[in-house]
Amino acid sequence: QVPLVESGGGLVQAGGSLRLSCAASGRTFSSYGMGWFRQAPGKEREFVAAIRCSVGSTYYADSVKGRFTISGDGPRNAVYLQMNLLKPVHTAVYYCASDLKATSILEIPADYDLWGQGTQVTVVS
C-alpha cells in the first residue's frame, strides 16, 4: 500500500483556505524531512514546502511564502499544509513525501524516498 496518505483537498473558492494532512499508512518510519509538492496537468512536479523533522526548520517556495504554512506533529509521523488566500493558479494535485536520509536537498523531488498518492486541490474564481 501507499506509505503516505494525503487528505484535505477539495474544491474551494478563490481567497479561501484548505488544510492538507499527510500521515503514514501501514508502516512506521523516521523521516529526516517531509515535504509538499504539487503537479498540475502538463507540468512538472513542483516544490511547495518542506520541514526538517528533528528541528522544525521550514522551507517554502517563493510563490507560497505568506500563504502556506507547513507543520508537523509531535511524533513526526504526520505533516500538514495550511493553505490560505488560495487562487486558481494553485489548482493541482498535492503530494506529500518523506525523506529518510540524513543528507538531502528538500526542494528536489528525486531526493525523497516515500510518496503519497496525492490529493486534488481545485480553486475556482
Side-chain angles (χ1 to χ4, degrees):
Q1 61 181 321
V2 178
L4 298 170
V5 178
E6 304 95 337
S7 62
L11 181 69
V12 66
Q13 292 287 123
S17 299
L18 286 173
R19 184 174 186 260
L20 306 184
S21 299
C22 172
S25 176
R27 60 174 286 178
T28 60
F29 49 85
S30 181
S31 298
Y32 175 73
M34 298 192 75
W36 287 96
F37 296 79
R38 65 189 177 196
Q39 188 167 21
K43 303 283 189 178
E44 296 292 322
R45 192 163 296 187
E46 176 188 26
F47 170 75
V48 176
I51 183 168
R52 292 201 179 275
C53 301
S54 62
V55 296
S57 301
T58 58
Y59 308 85
Y60 296 94
D62 288 342
S63 62
V64 304
K65 289 179 179 177
R67 277 183 151 86
F68 295 3
T69 303
I70 189 171
S71 61
D73 70 352
R76 295 180 291 277
N77 290 320
V79 66
Y80 311 94
L81 186 69
Q82 179 67 44
M83 305 187 295
N84 299 323
L85 299 173
L86 285 163
K87 302 190 297 184
V89 71
H90 297 130
T91 295
V93 177
Y94 283 71
Y95 300 87
C96 70
S98 172
D99 170 29
L100 304 180
K101 304 176 293 295
T103 302
S104 62
I105 302 173
L106 296 181
E107 295 82 2
I108 304 299
D111 280 8
Y112 286 79
D113 303 289
L114 303 173
W115 290 85
Q117 64 182 334
T119 185
Q120 177 71 48
V121 172
T122 302
V123 185
V124 296
S125 60

